[in-house]
Amino acid sequence: MPVTFRIATDADDRDGPTAAISACQLAAFCTLLRQEGERSGIILVVLDPEVAGLTFDHLEARVCPLALATIARLFDYDEAVIAVVEEAQFRRRRITFHPANQAGAIAMEVALTSDLGHELDLASSNAFALLESLGFRPDSAGEIPVDAVRARLAQPAVRRRAAVAGASAYLDRLDRLLTTAGLDDAPRLEWA
């Protein structure tokens, strides 16, 4: 069973903005993201339904590299869409989609995934080795303040334990993940 490490904040514990969009709007949005991605040379649609053959509820999109006005225009300046995109850009997160109701509306929300996708997905044995090398209890779910993790990463003994456990490469990836944590809003490292 994989374990995903990510940065969470107090904002993740509250309901954020949600916008209801149609399937046609989602398709137009994906087209815009593909075009802008090709123009800029970056991937903006993660698990694109046309490419991966998946349904829209597996779709995440990067909106931080785009101007809010570009996206807002596509959705006729819908205030709910603007609120979602603005929140995602402010928090440096992706947006995600899921069914909103039986009538076929689609909900657009701020995703748990960071814009750059630095989350760390590990097999449980590797996750436990990483946690043990950091001196934390190897549980399949938990959370620790980011400052505590940074303090542990600064200790030379952690690097030695990680090398012995074969988890050295994960420390570098964890360090990169921690760079996405802001200095405010009590960031914490969560895993499950």
Side-chain angles (χ1 to χ4, degrees):
M1 182 90 177
V3 176
T4 300
F5 292 85
R6 68 179 195 84
I7 300 299
T9 65
D10 289 342
D12 294 318
D13 299 333
R14 299 184 296 269
D15 289 335
T18 301
I21 64 171
S22 69
C24 290
Q25 287 175 315
L26 179 59
F29 185 52
C30 286
T31 298
L32 171 75
L33 291 170
R34 277 192 298 279
Q35 290 169 346
E36 290 295 319
E38 288 171 8
R39 185 184 62 73
S40 62
I42 57 177
I43 297 171
L44 297 175
V45 181
V46 182
L47 295 177
D48 187 336
E50 286 188 18
V51 175
L54 301 171
T55 59
F56 68 84
D57 58 334
H58 296 335
L59 178 71
E60 283 191 353
R62 292 184 63 197
V63 294
C64 292
L66 299 176
L68 177 59
T70 302
I71 299 168
R73 182 177 54 240
L74 183 67
F75 292 96
D76 294 323
Y77 302 96
D78 181 313
E79 291 180 19
V81 169
I82 291 171
V84 171
V85 173
E86 192 172 50
E87 179 78 9
Q89 289 178 337
F90 178 75
R91 294 179 55 206
R92 297 185 316 245
R93 297 280 179 97
R94 294 178 180 173
I95 57 173
T96 188
F97 304 88
H98 59 85
N101 58 39
Q102 302 261 335
I106 300 166
M108 171 194 282
E109 295 181 326
V110 177
L112 295 175
T113 311
S114 65
D115 179 63
L116 294 173
H118 286 310
E119 285 66 24
L120 186 58
D121 293 321
L122 299 176
S124 58
S125 59
N126 294 334
F128 294 161
L130 174 63
L131 289 168
E132 287 176 341
S133 67
L134 289 166
F136 298 128
R137 201 170 94 192
D139 289 329
S140 57
E143 64 180 42
I144 299 170
V146 166
D147 289 342
V149 180
R150 286 181 176 141
R152 295 284 173 100
L153 283 172
Q155 298 174 1
V158 168
R159 298 276 174 194
R160 286 192 300 274
R161 285 193 303 259
V164 170
S168 293
Y170 306 132
L171 290 180
D172 294 333
R173 292 177 57 196
L174 178 62
D175 196 36
R176 186 173 58 214
L177 172 62
L178 295 177
T179 64
T180 66
L183 299 175
D184 55 348
D185 207 18
R188 59 192 184 271
L189 178 70
E190 282 187 349
W191 64 93

